[in-house]
Amino acid sequence: MTILWLFTWVPGIQLDPHTYTASTSSTELLHKGRGFIRMSASHRVKTTLCNTSLDNPTQRNKDQLIRAAVKFLDTDTICYRVEEPETLVELQKNEWDPIIEWAEKRYGMEIGSSTSIMGPSIPTQTREVLTSHLASYNMWALQGIEFVVAQLKSMLLTLGLIDLRLTVEQAVLLSRLEEEYQIQKWGNIEWAHDYELQELRARTAAGTLFVHLCSESSTVKHKLLQE
């Protein structure tokens, strides 16, 4: 079972890494005080993302983060297709094509797929559209997006997840489509495959939560009380 120690995301609330790190640290100490010393996977991820956002160890600016994220399109998992066996070809088409079609319609860009080892040819306009979209996020959210993309090996699945087109479970399953196909065919090594699946879900969920918490904003209006 995946456990999130800290927050339930509430739309309209924005936390910067300073606030988030302070809350994370205090909660960690609280749980340690009660004897729960081991962090959950999601807790470790959120703490790491907070520290990365604050320290920026790679010293990259916003434009560099965006360029790195856009480059993931060149190796996006769901754009690479197999030519055989036919059952897997059909599975990829049925499961991945709707996500590509959604992204093309949602963002007004052309993506496509390919069976070539070189992958599909991504048009310059598509890169420009994605660059413009990512520019709407702040530095902290971009760190989270890069992390989620690295987990799913897919910018398109990450966009679907952040845009609430996909759930964490759906995005993770789609990112592991070929592996799940092989498991169905040859069987599951329970202790290994189950652990990998739960770990990936936890890390993906934590990264997505981090993006939302760093992206949402709210306006508070104080009403004057009349005597």
Side-chain angles (χ1 to χ4, degrees):
M1 178 177 66
T2 301
I3 301 175
L4 299 182
W5 288 118
L6 299 176
F7 301 103
T8 298
W9 174 52
V10 179
I13 302 300
Q14 179 177 0
L15 295 179
D16 62 69
H18 296 81
T19 304
Y20 193 72
T21 302
S23 300
T24 303
S25 299
S26 62
T27 304
E28 176 189 342
L29 291 173
L30 177 63
H31 282 286
K32 283 185 177 180
R34 294 178 179 174
F36 299 101
I37 298 177
R38 184 180 179 182
M39 288 188 192
S40 66
S42 60
H43 186 91
R44 294 195 304 271
V45 169
K46 287 177 282 188
T47 301
T48 299
L49 284 172
C50 289
N51 292 333
T52 300
S53 298
L54 291 170
D55 298 337
N56 191 17
T58 59
Q59 298 300 305
R60 290 181 296 174
N61 58 34
K62 184 173 181 177
D63 288 340
Q64 289 172 320
L65 283 173
I66 292 174
R67 285 199 297 271
V70 171
K71 191 170 180 58
F72 276 111
L73 274 180
D74 294 325
T75 56
D76 199 293
T77 292
I78 71 173
C79 292
Y80 281 79
R81 305 299 175 86
V82 298
E83 295 181 302
E84 56 179 356
E86 186 61 33
T87 50
L88 182 55
V89 172
E90 190 67 18
L91 182 63
Q92 290 180 338
K93 176 180 175 61
N94 292 340
E95 299 295 333
W96 284 348
D97 280 4
I99 304 304
I100 293 178
E101 291 168 4
W102 167 82
E104 290 179 331
K105 183 177 180 180
R106 168 67 175 82
Y107 298 102
M109 57 187 185
E110 180 184 347
I111 302 168
S113 61
S114 174
T115 57
S116 168
I117 193 173
M118 301 302 293
S121 177
I122 306 298
T124 300
Q125 184 178 0
T126 294
R127 299 181 189 277
E128 292 174 350
V129 169
L130 185 57
T131 296
S132 178
H133 173 69
L134 292 175
S136 65
Y137 291 94
N138 57 42
M139 285 276 291
W140 310 316
L142 288 171
Q143 295 278 8
I145 290 172
E146 183 177 56
F147 177 84
V148 176
V149 173
Q151 306 311 304
L152 299 176
K153 306 296 187 295
S154 172
M155 171 56 73
L156 299 180
L157 291 178
T158 299
L159 290 174
L161 185 55
I162 293 173
D163 209 28
L164 306 182
R165 168 63 173 76
L166 298 169
T167 65
V168 170
E169 289 78 8
Q170 290 172 331
V172 168
L173 180 60
L174 290 171
S175 74
R176 289 164 45 94
L177 196 62
E178 185 170 355
E179 183 175 353
E180 292 296 328
Y181 172 85
Q182 297 297 340
I183 289 174
Q184 290 295 321
K185 185 175 181 180
W186 303 108
N188 181 33
I189 302 176
E190 185 175 352
W191 64 269
H193 291 144
D194 288 352
Y195 174 80
E196 291 174 0
L197 177 60
Q198 296 303 326
E199 181 78 7
L200 181 56
R201 283 179 177 173
R203 293 170 67 84
T204 302
T208 304
L209 177 60
F210 185 84
V211 173
H212 281 301
L213 287 171
C214 293
S215 300
E216 292 298 308
S217 60
S218 62
T219 301
V220 178
K221 293 184 179 180
H222 298 280
K223 182 178 181 180
L224 298 177
L225 297 178
Q226 296 180 350
E227 297 182 358

Short mmCIF file of all heavy atoms in Angstrom, two decimals, residues 44-99:
data_model
loop_
_atom_site.label_atom_id
_atom_site.label_comp_id
_atom_site.label_asym_id
_atom_site.label_seq_id
_atom_site.Cartn_x
_atom_site.Cartn_y
_atom_site.Cartn_z
N ARG A 44 10.31 10.36 1.13
CA ARG A 44 11.70 10.57 0.73
C ARG A 44 11.78 11.38 -0.56
O ARG A 44 12.62 12.28 -0.70
CB ARG A 44 12.41 9.23 0.53
CG ARG A 44 12.58 8.39 1.78
CD ARG A 44 13.60 7.27 1.56
NE ARG A 44 13.25 6.42 0.44
CZ ARG A 44 12.49 5.35 0.53
NH1 ARG A 44 11.97 5.00 1.68
NH2 ARG A 44 12.23 4.60 -0.54
N VAL A 45 10.91 11.06 -1.52
CA VAL A 45 10.91 11.78 -2.80
C VAL A 45 10.59 13.24 -2.60
O VAL A 45 11.27 14.12 -3.15
CB VAL A 45 9.91 11.13 -3.77
CG1 VAL A 45 9.70 12.02 -4.99
CG2 VAL A 45 10.40 9.77 -4.21
N LYS A 46 9.55 13.53 -1.83
CA LYS A 46 9.16 14.93 -1.64
C LYS A 46 10.24 15.73 -0.93
O LYS A 46 10.50 16.89 -1.27
CB LYS A 46 7.83 14.99 -0.87
CG LYS A 46 6.63 14.58 -1.72
CD LYS A 46 5.35 14.57 -0.93
CE LYS A 46 5.25 13.35 -0.07
NZ LYS A 46 3.94 13.21 0.58
N THR A 47 10.90 15.10 0.06
CA THR A 47 12.00 15.77 0.75
C THR A 47 13.15 16.05 -0.22
O THR A 47 13.73 17.14 -0.22
CB THR A 47 12.50 14.91 1.92
OG1 THR A 47 11.42 14.68 2.82
CG2 THR A 47 13.63 15.61 2.67
N THR A 48 13.47 15.06 -1.06
CA THR A 48 14.55 15.22 -2.04
C THR A 48 14.22 16.33 -3.04
O THR A 48 15.08 17.16 -3.36
CB THR A 48 14.78 13.91 -2.80
OG1 THR A 48 15.16 12.88 -1.88
CG2 THR A 48 15.88 14.08 -3.85
N LEU A 49 12.98 16.37 -3.52
CA LEU A 49 12.59 17.40 -4.48
C LEU A 49 12.64 18.79 -3.84
O LEU A 49 13.02 19.76 -4.50
CB LEU A 49 11.19 17.11 -5.02
CG LEU A 49 11.11 15.99 -6.06
CD1 LEU A 49 9.64 15.67 -6.36
CD2 LEU A 49 11.84 16.38 -7.33
N CYS A 50 12.25 18.88 -2.58
CA CYS A 50 12.35 20.17 -1.88
C CYS A 50 13.80 20.64 -1.81
O CYS A 50 14.11 21.80 -2.13
CB CYS A 50 11.79 20.04 -0.46
SG CYS A 50 10.02 19.85 -0.35
N ASN A 51 14.67 19.74 -1.41
CA ASN A 51 16.09 20.11 -1.29
C ASN A 51 16.69 20.45 -2.65
O ASN A 51 17.49 21.39 -2.77
CB ASN A 51 16.87 18.96 -0.65
CG ASN A 51 16.49 18.75 0.81
OD1 ASN A 51 16.06 19.68 1.48
ND2 ASN A 51 16.64 17.53 1.29
N THR A 52 16.31 19.71 -3.68
CA THR A 52 16.81 19.99 -5.03
C THR A 52 16.35 21.35 -5.50
O THR A 52 17.11 22.12 -6.11
CB THR A 52 16.34 18.91 -6.01
OG1 THR A 52 16.81 17.63 -5.58
CG2 THR A 52 16.86 19.19 -7.42
N SER A 53 15.07 21.68 -5.24
CA SER A 53 14.53 22.97 -5.66
C SER A 53 15.21 24.12 -4.93
O SER A 53 15.45 25.18 -5.51
CB SER A 53 13.02 23.01 -5.40
OG SER A 53 12.34 22.03 -6.14
N LEU A 54 15.53 23.91 -3.66
CA LEU A 54 16.15 24.97 -2.86
C LEU A 54 17.62 25.15 -3.22
O LEU A 54 18.10 26.28 -3.35
CB LEU A 54 16.01 24.64 -1.37
CG LEU A 54 14.60 24.72 -0.79
CD1 LEU A 54 14.57 24.14 0.63
CD2 LEU A 54 14.09 26.14 -0.79
N ASP A 55 18.34 24.03 -3.37
CA ASP A 55 19.79 24.10 -3.57
C ASP A 55 20.19 24.24 -5.04
O ASP A 55 21.27 24.75 -5.34
CB ASP A 55 20.46 22.86 -2.99
CG ASP A 55 20.24 22.73 -1.49
OD1 ASP A 55 19.97 23.76 -0.84
OD2 ASP A 55 20.33 21.60 -0.97
N ASN A 56 19.35 23.71 -5.96
CA ASN A 56 19.65 23.73 -7.40
C ASN A 56 21.09 23.29 -7.64
O ASN A 56 21.91 24.06 -8.16
CB ASN A 56 19.42 25.13 -7.97
CG ASN A 56 19.47 25.14 -9.50
OD1 ASN A 56 19.36 24.10 -10.15
ND2 ASN A 56 19.63 26.32 -10.07
N PRO A 57 21.42 22.04 -7.28
CA PRO A 57 22.81 21.60 -7.36
C PRO A 57 23.41 21.63 -8.76
O PRO A 57 24.62 21.76 -8.91
CB PRO A 57 22.74 20.15 -6.82
CG PRO A 57 21.32 19.74 -7.04
CD PRO A 57 20.51 20.97 -6.84
N THR A 58 22.59 21.52 -9.79
CA THR A 58 23.11 21.55 -11.15
C THR A 58 23.23 22.97 -11.69
O THR A 58 23.70 23.17 -12.81
CB THR A 58 22.20 20.73 -12.10
OG1 THR A 58 20.87 21.27 -12.06
CG2 THR A 58 22.16 19.27 -11.68
N GLN A 59 22.76 23.93 -10.89
CA GLN A 59 22.88 25.35 -11.26
C GLN A 59 22.22 25.66 -12.60
O GLN A 59 22.73 26.47 -13.38
CB GLN A 59 24.35 25.78 -11.28
CG GLN A 59 25.05 25.66 -9.94
CD GLN A 59 24.40 26.53 -8.86
OE1 GLN A 59 24.23 27.73 -9.04
NE2 GLN A 59 24.02 25.93 -7.75
N ARG A 60 21.09 25.04 -12.87
CA ARG A 60 20.37 25.31 -14.12
C ARG A 60 19.32 26.38 -13.91
O ARG A 60 18.69 26.45 -12.86
CB ARG A 60 19.70 24.03 -14.64
CG ARG A 60 20.66 22.98 -15.14
CD ARG A 60 19.92 21.75 -15.65
NE ARG A 60 19.19 21.07 -14.58
CZ ARG A 60 18.36 20.04 -14.79
NH1 ARG A 60 18.17 19.59 -16.02
NH2 ARG A 60 17.75 19.47 -13.78
N ASN A 61 19.15 27.22 -14.92
CA ASN A 61 18.10 28.22 -14.85
C ASN A 61 16.81 27.65 -15.45
O ASN A 61 16.78 26.50 -15.91
CB ASN A 61 18.52 29.52 -15.56
CG ASN A 61 18.88 29.30 -17.03
OD1 ASN A 61 18.29 28.45 -17.69
ND2 ASN A 61 19.82 30.08 -17.54
N LYS A 62 15.78 28.46 -15.49
CA LYS A 62 14.48 27.97 -15.96
C LYS A 62 14.53 27.52 -17.41
O LYS A 62 13.98 26.47 -17.76
CB LYS A 62 13.42 29.06 -15.78
CG LYS A 62 12.02 28.61 -16.15
CD LYS A 62 10.98 29.66 -15.80
CE LYS A 62 9.58 29.18 -16.15
NZ LYS A 62 8.53 30.16 -15.76
N ASP A 63 15.18 28.29 -18.27
CA ASP A 63 15.26 27.93 -19.69
C ASP A 63 15.97 26.59 -19.89
O ASP A 63 15.57 25.79 -20.74
CB ASP A 63 16.00 29.03 -20.48
CG ASP A 63 15.17 30.29 -20.63
OD1 ASP A 63 13.94 30.21 -20.47
OD2 ASP A 63 15.76 31.35 -20.89
N GLN A 64 17.00 26.34 -19.11
CA GLN A 64 17.73 25.09 -19.22
C GLN A 64 16.88 23.90 -18.76
O GLN A 64 16.92 22.83 -19.35
CB GLN A 64 19.02 25.16 -18.40
CG GLN A 64 20.07 26.08 -19.01
CD GLN A 64 21.25 26.31 -18.09
OE1 GLN A 64 21.11 26.46 -16.87
NE2 GLN A 64 22.46 26.30 -18.67
N LEU A 65 16.09 24.11 -17.71
CA LEU A 65 15.19 23.06 -17.24
C LEU A 65 14.14 22.73 -18.30
O LEU A 65 13.82 21.56 -18.53
CB LEU A 65 14.50 23.50 -15.94
CG LEU A 65 15.33 23.44 -14.66
CD1 LEU A 65 14.55 24.07 -13.50
CD2 LEU A 65 15.70 22.00 -14.32
N ILE A 66 13.64 23.76 -18.95
CA ILE A 66 12.62 23.56 -19.98
C ILE A 66 13.21 22.82 -21.18
O ILE A 66 12.60 21.88 -21.71
CB ILE A 66 12.01 24.91 -20.42
CG1 ILE A 66 11.19 25.51 -19.28
CG2 ILE A 66 11.15 24.74 -21.67
CD1 ILE A 66 10.68 26.92 -19.56
N ARG A 67 14.39 23.21 -21.61
CA ARG A 67 15.03 22.54 -22.76
C ARG A 67 15.29 21.07 -22.45
O ARG A 67 15.11 20.20 -23.31
CB ARG A 67 16.34 23.25 -23.13
CG ARG A 67 16.14 24.57 -23.85
CD ARG A 67 17.42 24.99 -24.57
NE ARG A 67 18.51 25.21 -23.65
CZ ARG A 67 18.77 26.38 -23.05
NH1 ARG A 67 17.99 27.43 -23.31
NH2 ARG A 67 19.79 26.50 -22.23
N ALA A 68 15.71 20.80 -21.23
CA ALA A 68 15.96 19.41 -20.84
C ALA A 68 14.67 18.60 -20.85
O ALA A 68 14.65 17.43 -21.27
CB ALA A 68 16.59 19.36 -19.44
N ALA A 69 13.57 19.21 -20.40
CA ALA A 69 12.29 18.52 -20.38
C ALA A 69 11.78 18.25 -21.79
O ALA A 69 11.29 17.16 -22.10
CB ALA A 69 11.27 19.34 -19.59
N VAL A 70 11.90 19.24 -22.68
CA VAL A 70 11.44 19.09 -24.05
C VAL A 70 12.22 17.99 -24.77
O VAL A 70 11.67 17.25 -25.59
CB VAL A 70 11.57 20.43 -24.82
CG1 VAL A 70 11.30 20.23 -26.31
CG2 VAL A 70 10.61 21.46 -24.24
N LYS A 71 13.49 17.84 -24.42
CA LYS A 71 14.33 16.83 -25.07
C LYS A 71 13.83 15.41 -24.80
O LYS A 71 14.11 14.48 -25.56
CB LYS A 71 15.78 16.99 -24.59
CG LYS A 71 16.78 16.18 -25.41
CD LYS A 71 18.21 16.54 -25.05
CE LYS A 71 19.21 15.72 -25.87
NZ LYS A 71 19.02 15.90 -27.31
N PHE A 72 13.07 15.23 -23.71
CA PHE A 72 12.53 13.91 -23.40
C PHE A 72 11.58 13.40 -24.48
O PHE A 72 11.34 12.19 -24.59
CB PHE A 72 11.79 13.94 -22.06
CG PHE A 72 12.68 13.78 -20.85
CD1 PHE A 72 12.89 14.84 -19.98
CD2 PHE A 72 13.31 12.57 -20.60
CE1 PHE A 72 13.70 14.70 -18.88
CE2 PHE A 72 14.13 12.42 -19.48
CZ PHE A 72 14.32 13.48 -18.62
N LEU A 73 11.02 14.33 -25.28
CA LEU A 73 10.13 13.90 -26.37
C LEU A 73 10.85 12.97 -27.35
O LEU A 73 10.23 12.09 -27.95
CB LEU A 73 9.60 15.11 -27.12
CG LEU A 73 8.33 15.80 -26.59
CD1 LEU A 73 7.97 16.96 -27.49
CD2 LEU A 73 7.18 14.80 -26.52
N ASP A 74 12.15 13.16 -27.51
CA ASP A 74 12.92 12.37 -28.47
C ASP A 74 12.99 10.89 -28.08
O ASP A 74 13.22 10.03 -28.95
CB ASP A 74 14.34 12.93 -28.62
CG ASP A 74 14.35 14.32 -29.22
OD1 ASP A 74 13.49 14.58 -30.09
OD2 ASP A 74 15.20 15.14 -28.83
N THR A 75 12.82 10.60 -26.81
CA THR A 75 12.93 9.21 -26.34
C THR A 75 11.68 8.78 -25.57
O THR A 75 11.76 7.90 -24.71
CB THR A 75 14.17 9.05 -25.44
OG1 THR A 75 14.09 9.99 -24.35
CG2 THR A 75 15.44 9.29 -26.22
N ASP A 76 10.56 9.41 -25.87
CA ASP A 76 9.33 9.11 -25.14
C ASP A 76 8.91 7.66 -25.34
O ASP A 76 8.77 7.18 -26.48
CB ASP A 76 8.21 10.05 -25.59
CG ASP A 76 7.08 10.11 -24.60
OD1 ASP A 76 6.38 9.09 -24.43
OD2 ASP A 76 6.88 11.17 -23.98
N THR A 77 8.68 6.96 -24.24
CA THR A 77 8.36 5.53 -24.28
C THR A 77 7.21 5.20 -25.21
O THR A 77 7.28 4.25 -26.00
CB THR A 77 8.01 5.03 -22.86
OG1 THR A 77 9.19 5.08 -22.05
CG2 THR A 77 7.49 3.59 -22.89
N ILE A 78 6.13 5.98 -25.14
CA ILE A 78 4.93 5.60 -25.88
C ILE A 78 5.01 5.95 -27.37
O ILE A 78 4.09 5.63 -28.13
CB ILE A 78 3.65 6.20 -25.26
CG1 ILE A 78 3.57 7.70 -25.48
CG2 ILE A 78 3.57 5.89 -23.78
CD1 ILE A 78 2.23 8.29 -25.02
N CYS A 79 6.11 6.59 -27.77
CA CYS A 79 6.30 6.89 -29.19
C CYS A 79 7.12 5.81 -29.90
O CYS A 79 7.21 5.79 -31.13
CB CYS A 79 6.99 8.24 -29.36
SG CYS A 79 5.96 9.64 -28.87
N TYR A 80 7.73 4.92 -29.14
CA TYR A 80 8.52 3.83 -29.70
C TYR A 80 7.68 2.56 -29.74
O TYR A 80 7.20 2.10 -28.70
CB TYR A 80 9.78 3.60 -28.87
CG TYR A 80 10.87 4.59 -29.14
CD1 TYR A 80 10.83 5.87 -28.59
CD2 TYR A 80 11.96 4.27 -29.96
CE1 TYR A 80 11.83 6.79 -28.83
CE2 TYR A 80 12.96 5.18 -30.21
CZ TYR A 80 12.90 6.44 -29.64
OH TYR A 80 13.90 7.36 -29.90
N ARG A 81 7.52 1.98 -30.92
CA ARG A 81 6.67 0.81 -31.07
C ARG A 81 7.45 -0.39 -31.58
O ARG A 81 8.45 -0.26 -32.27
CB ARG A 81 5.53 1.13 -32.05
CG ARG A 81 4.71 2.36 -31.66
CD ARG A 81 4.03 2.18 -30.30
NE ARG A 81 3.37 3.38 -29.88
CZ ARG A 81 2.12 3.70 -30.23
NH1 ARG A 81 1.42 2.90 -31.04
NH2 ARG A 81 1.58 4.82 -29.79
N VAL A 82 6.95 -1.56 -31.22
CA VAL A 82 7.55 -2.80 -31.71
C VAL A 82 6.86 -3.22 -33.00
O VAL A 82 5.77 -2.74 -33.31
CB VAL A 82 7.41 -3.93 -30.66
CG1 VAL A 82 8.15 -3.57 -29.38
CG2 VAL A 82 5.94 -4.23 -30.38
N GLU A 83 7.48 -4.11 -33.76
CA GLU A 83 6.90 -4.62 -34.99
C GLU A 83 6.32 -6.02 -34.82
O GLU A 83 5.54 -6.49 -35.64
CB GLU A 83 7.95 -4.62 -36.10
CG GLU A 83 8.41 -3.22 -36.48
CD GLU A 83 9.43 -3.23 -37.61
OE1 GLU A 83 10.50 -3.87 -37.43
OE2 GLU A 83 9.17 -2.62 -38.66
N GLU A 84 6.69 -6.65 -33.72
CA GLU A 84 6.18 -7.98 -33.38
C GLU A 84 6.44 -8.23 -31.89
O GLU A 84 7.30 -7.57 -31.29
CB GLU A 84 6.85 -9.06 -34.24
CG GLU A 84 8.36 -9.07 -34.14
CD GLU A 84 8.98 -10.17 -34.99
OE1 GLU A 84 8.24 -10.98 -35.59
OE2 GLU A 84 10.21 -10.22 -35.03
N PRO A 85 5.71 -9.14 -31.28
CA PRO A 85 4.60 -9.95 -31.82
C PRO A 85 3.35 -9.11 -32.05
O PRO A 85 3.21 -8.01 -31.50
CB PRO A 85 4.37 -10.98 -30.71
CG PRO A 85 4.77 -10.27 -29.47
CD PRO A 85 5.95 -9.42 -29.86
N GLU A 86 2.45 -9.61 -32.84
CA GLU A 86 1.26 -8.88 -33.24
C GLU A 86 0.40 -8.49 -32.04
O GLU A 86 -0.21 -7.42 -32.02
CB GLU A 86 0.44 -9.71 -34.23
CG GLU A 86 -0.75 -8.96 -34.81
CD GLU A 86 -0.34 -7.72 -35.59
OE1 GLU A 86 0.74 -7.73 -36.20
OE2 GLU A 86 -1.12 -6.74 -35.54
N THR A 87 0.35 -9.37 -31.04
CA THR A 87 -0.48 -9.06 -29.87
C THR A 87 0.04 -7.84 -29.11
O THR A 87 -0.73 -7.03 -28.62
CB THR A 87 -0.52 -10.27 -28.92
OG1 THR A 87 0.82 -10.73 -28.67
CG2 THR A 87 -1.35 -11.39 -29.50
N LEU A 88 1.37 -7.70 -29.03
CA LEU A 88 1.95 -6.53 -28.36
C LEU A 88 1.80 -5.29 -29.22
O LEU A 88 1.56 -4.19 -28.70
CB LEU A 88 3.43 -6.78 -28.03
CG LEU A 88 4.15 -5.65 -27.30
CD1 LEU A 88 3.43 -5.26 -26.02
CD2 LEU A 88 5.60 -6.06 -27.00
N VAL A 89 1.93 -5.44 -30.52
CA VAL A 89 1.71 -4.32 -31.44
C VAL A 89 0.31 -3.75 -31.26
O VAL A 89 0.12 -2.54 -31.16
CB VAL A 89 1.91 -4.77 -32.91
CG1 VAL A 89 1.48 -3.65 -33.86
CG2 VAL A 89 3.35 -5.16 -33.17
N GLU A 90 -0.67 -4.64 -31.18
CA GLU A 90 -2.06 -4.23 -31.02
C GLU A 90 -2.29 -3.60 -29.65
O GLU A 90 -3.02 -2.61 -29.51
CB GLU A 90 -2.98 -5.44 -31.19
CG GLU A 90 -4.47 -5.10 -31.29
CD GLU A 90 -4.81 -4.35 -32.56
OE1 GLU A 90 -4.00 -4.38 -33.51
OE2 GLU A 90 -5.90 -3.74 -32.60
N LEU A 91 -1.64 -4.15 -28.63
CA LEU A 91 -1.77 -3.62 -27.28
C LEU A 91 -1.23 -2.19 -27.20
O LEU A 91 -1.86 -1.30 -26.63
CB LEU A 91 -1.03 -4.51 -26.29
CG LEU A 91 -1.10 -4.11 -24.81
CD1 LEU A 91 -2.53 -4.16 -24.31
CD2 LEU A 91 -0.19 -5.00 -23.97
N GLN A 92 -0.05 -1.97 -27.78
CA GLN A 92 0.53 -0.62 -27.79
C GLN A 92 -0.37 0.36 -28.54
O GLN A 92 -0.57 1.51 -28.08
CB GLN A 92 1.92 -0.65 -28.43
CG GLN A 92 2.96 -1.36 -27.59
CD GLN A 92 4.32 -1.37 -28.25
OE1 GLN A 92 4.45 -1.23 -29.47
NE2 GLN A 92 5.36 -1.55 -27.44
N LYS A 93 -0.91 -0.07 -29.64
CA LYS A 93 -1.79 0.79 -30.43
C LYS A 93 -3.04 1.16 -29.64
O LYS A 93 -3.42 2.34 -29.60
CB LYS A 93 -2.18 0.07 -31.73
CG LYS A 93 -3.17 0.84 -32.59
CD LYS A 93 -3.51 0.06 -33.85
CE LYS A 93 -4.60 0.75 -34.67
NZ LYS A 93 -4.20 2.09 -35.12
N ASN A 94 -3.65 0.19 -29.00
CA ASN A 94 -4.90 0.42 -28.28
C ASN A 94 -4.71 1.27 -27.02
O ASN A 94 -5.59 2.05 -26.66
CB ASN A 94 -5.55 -0.91 -27.90
CG ASN A 94 -6.05 -1.68 -29.10
OD1 ASN A 94 -6.28 -1.12 -30.16
ND2 ASN A 94 -6.20 -2.99 -28.94
N GLU A 95 -3.56 1.09 -26.36
CA GLU A 95 -3.34 1.76 -25.08
C GLU A 95 -2.60 3.10 -25.22
O GLU A 95 -2.88 4.05 -24.48
CB GLU A 95 -2.56 0.84 -24.12
CG GLU A 95 -3.28 -0.45 -23.79
CD GLU A 95 -4.57 -0.22 -23.02
OE1 GLU A 95 -4.68 0.80 -22.31
OE2 GLU A 95 -5.47 -1.08 -23.13
N TRP A 96 -1.64 3.17 -26.14
CA TRP A 96 -0.82 4.37 -26.24
C TRP A 96 -1.36 5.40 -27.22
O TRP A 96 -1.21 6.61 -26.99
CB TRP A 96 0.61 3.98 -26.64
CG TRP A 96 1.39 3.38 -25.52
CD1 TRP A 96 1.05 3.37 -24.19
CD2 TRP A 96 2.66 2.72 -25.61
NE1 TRP A 96 2.03 2.73 -23.46
CE2 TRP A 96 3.02 2.32 -24.31
CE3 TRP A 96 3.51 2.42 -26.68
CZ2 TRP A 96 4.22 1.64 -24.03
CZ3 TRP A 96 4.70 1.74 -26.41
CH2 TRP A 96 5.04 1.37 -25.11
N ASP A 97 -1.97 4.94 -28.32
CA ASP A 97 -2.46 5.89 -29.33
C ASP A 97 -3.44 6.91 -28.76
O ASP A 97 -3.37 8.10 -29.11
CB ASP A 97 -3.10 5.15 -30.50
CG ASP A 97 -2.06 4.62 -31.49
OD1 ASP A 97 -0.85 4.77 -31.21
OD2 ASP A 97 -2.44 4.04 -32.52
N PRO A 98 -4.38 6.51 -27.88
CA PRO A 98 -5.31 7.50 -27.33
C PRO A 98 -4.62 8.61 -26.54
O PRO A 98 -5.09 9.76 -26.55
CB PRO A 98 -6.22 6.67 -26.41
CG PRO A 98 -6.18 5.29 -27.01
CD PRO A 98 -4.78 5.13 -27.50
N ILE A 99 -3.50 8.29 -25.90
CA ILE A 99 -2.76 9.31 -25.14
C ILE A 99 -2.08 10.29 -26.09
O ILE A 99 -2.10 11.51 -25.88
CB ILE A 99 -1.72 8.66 -24.22
CG1 ILE A 99 -2.38 7.65 -23.28
CG2 ILE A 99 -0.98 9.73 -23.41
CD1 ILE A 99 -3.50 8.23 -22.44
#
